[in-house]
Amino acid sequence: MFLNRHARPAVIRPASAGVLPVSLMLTGLAAALCASASTAIAEPRHAIAMHGQPLYPRDFKAFAYIDPSAPKSGRITYGVQGSFDSLNPFIPKGDASRGLRDGGHENYLFEGMMVRGQDEAFTLYCLICATVEVPPDRSWVEFKIRPEAAFSDGTPLTSADVAHSFQLLRENGRPNVTIPYKKVDRVETPDSATVRFVFKDGGDRELALIMGSMPILPKHKVSAEDFPKTTLVAPTGSGPYVVATVDPGARLVLKRNPNYWGRDLSVNRGLNNYDEIRFEYYRSENALFEAFKAGLVDVLPEADPSRWSTRYDFPAVADGRVVKDIIPTALPKGMYGFVFNTRRPVFSDIRVREALASLFDFEWVNKNLYFGLYRRSGSYFEGSELSSLGRPADATERGLLAAFPDAVRTDVMDGRWKPTGTDGSGRDRAVLKAAIDLLATAGWKLDNGAMRNAAGEAMQFELIIQSPDQERVALAYQRTLKQIGVEASVRALDSSQYQRRWSTFDFDMLPWSYGASLSPGNEQLQRWSAVAAEKQGSFNFAGAREPAIDAMIGAMLEATSREAFVSATRAFDRVLISGFYVVPLFHKSDQWIARWGRIARPETSSVWGAVLGAWYAKSSAP
């Protein structure tokens, strides 16, 4: 499949992942035909971009959103709602603690070959690797490991650790990992510093970046037998911190590794600034907020507009000891909504889902609960060039969707659709009547105060939630549903119960936030693909099994230009919108973060907003 430049490489071959989409197989055939030529012109680089070229040159000194002169001292305490029972963040079992591998620049223990630049759509820069090499057809990716790379116990990090990590994660990792990893044909380790991933086809251009992001685990510490198990034993990683204290369910303390191998790299300059990082767990949002007010928590991202508007009135805010930061982002706002589990018979009819989705009274909720600070969501990529809202489908989109004539509604295709609006009264009769009429076409009628089907069964379902803020909006939705005879019970669960219910698809409806980036890709497979619908622990909560979804994700992954990628993503957005898999709720346009003045941040923010890994402790608080 490629011109091998190495003698007698070690090879790991994953098991087959099953039948691939035709478009991917055709792309794979083309990749095989030109493999020798592509290998000849590939060259080692310091970074790789999903589309186009990396923003930063090989000799860059630091990311623009980082303060490279930030002092390295002190301690920070983060507050986390919930609990944890594991220090293994890579498997479906258990509820892993924060702080082990949180993404972005917050990979304190477990690192990947590369790290993501956060003022670009999707570009990775070498961290553990010294160079990355990939041909134009992206049929493989090769990394050269830095000779100084090592785990926190001093053991050198080698290609054997990389291959071992891949095997562990592919066989027993979370579904968001196993799905793309199964597209790898083999892993070659010709020497201790070289590792090459060869892909089964050339259709998924994101795979090279996914392999660059893969966490590297120590082969001498993590066995194939033990990896699938939850554990509270402090893990060994290659990152800048080590685990100092574990209080199960209550506290995790990390301390700086003074021998961290990568502290002087340009990708780390201005990061990892604390001597100690603490994650303190609280059972409720209110307890966490009170801990912040008392100074027991240093930084608090805020999601509740009413609390942001009314409860930050304590003395420390008034005298400037607590700072309220409003940080803009250029990211899509994603989709926050109540998810229909279409595996349940009550939600199997798309007309039922459309009718129930129309009954969320955003105007009333925003005015009465959230001080008008939210914006209505309608797209899965709201507020970005990737959103299809208000945009007629272009020729590329229509070509992609031509094979699926029933997958997208006409008004969605034409850019005319938008979420149902109300008069804000809490009882918009026109909206209620339209929902009743639509339910009637699906066989449901209002009978003696209850919405019933032809068998006389009342429409009822359970909405599970886990926080007071979710409960408020759920109860508002429940009240509107009751006006047309639909009984929705709202049940509050603790974090472990909630995690167990969603991971086994044991729910009717739940609130979920589908985050979005400027370069969505393989993560969409585990949210929406037919394969993920059958795999417990995946994020396909809706149980979506729409062929057009899989095809549009395939088109996103195959795109070789930004223009083609944007069109494919908008087509994907249109399919999701037309499927009415969620009740769209709302979003805020900026990040809200409160911090005690003893914690400072760089003046410049990234495209992604706040980069907490770049914040630092002041020598003295104001």
Side-chain angles (χ1 to χ4, degrees), residues 338-356:
F338 294 137
V339 184
F340 295 106
N341 186 351
T342 64
R343 303 172 186 85
R344 298 291 206 245
V346 66
F347 296 142
S348 61
D349 192 313
I350 193 171
R351 293 168 295 184
V352 170
R353 302 197 300 271
E354 180 183 357
L356 298 184

Side-chain angles (χ1 to χ4, degrees), residues 240-475:
Y241 291 87
V242 295
V243 174
T245 304
V246 181
D247 185 354
R251 179 181 301 105
L252 178 73
V253 180
L254 307 179
K255 288 195 174 181
R256 185 194 304 283
N257 176 10
N259 300 314
Y260 173 49
W261 68 273
R263 60 183 177 273
D264 297 324
L265 297 177
S266 58
V267 292
N268 282 329
R269 196 163 290 136
L271 297 167
N272 310 314
N273 299 319
Y274 307 105
D275 293 331
E276 181 179 289
I277 303 174
R278 302 171 69 95
F279 296 88
E280 299 280 356
Y281 280 75
Y282 297 88
R283 292 292 180 177
S284 69
E285 277 188 313
N286 188 61
L288 174 54
F289 182 68
E290 292 300 320
F292 175 74
K293 287 173 59 177
L296 301 177
V297 171
D298 291 312
V299 174
L300 187 65
E302 183 58 76
D304 184 348
S306 61
R307 187 162 52 229
W308 186 253
S309 298
T310 65
R311 296 190 60 187
Y312 285 82
D313 57 355
F314 48 96
V317 175
D319 62 24
R321 287 177 295 147
V322 165
V323 180
K324 294 173 66 179
D325 286 320
I326 299 177
I327 301 175
T329 79
L331 292 180
K333 307 313 176 197
M335 173 62 76
Y336 175 48
F338 294 137
V339 184
F340 295 106
N341 186 351
T342 64
R343 303 172 186 85
R344 298 291 206 245
V346 66
F347 296 142
S348 61
D349 192 313
I350 193 171
R351 293 168 295 184
V352 170
R353 302 197 300 271
E354 180 183 357
L356 298 184
S358 72
L359 291 172
F360 177 69
D361 194 338
F362 167 74
E363 286 73 16
W364 186 93
V365 167
N366 195 35
K367 178 178 65 176
N368 289 277
L369 300 183
Y370 299 121
F371 295 83
L373 293 177
Y374 274 139
R375 301 292 178 267
R376 185 70 190 272
S377 296
S379 165
Y380 289 78
F381 306 99
E382 190 82 35
S384 76
E385 65 174 344
L386 304 178
S387 172
S388 65
L389 288 188
R391 295 184 172 104
D394 61 27
T396 302
E397 292 179 66
R398 292 180 184 276
L400 291 170
L401 293 166
F404 310 97
D406 299 324
V408 176
R409 293 162 49 115
T410 300
D411 55 350
V412 176
M413 187 75 82
D414 295 342
R416 293 180 289 105
W417 181 88
K418 59 182 179 180
T420 302
T422 72
D423 60 13
S425 66
R427 192 177 180 86
D428 189 321
R429 293 184 178 275
V431 172
L432 296 172
K433 182 180 185 304
I436 292 172
D437 291 345
L438 183 54
L439 287 171
T441 68
W444 294 87
K445 293 188 177 181
L446 191 58
D447 178 17
N448 196 26
M451 188 63 64
R452 300 183 184 276
N453 60 16
E457 300 167 328
M459 181 181 289
Q460 52 190 6
F461 58 88
E462 180 184 67
L463 171 52
I464 61 172
I465 52 95
Q466 63 171 342
S467 73
D469 185 52
Q470 292 175 348
E471 185 175 34
R472 280 191 298 170
V473 69
L475 291 175

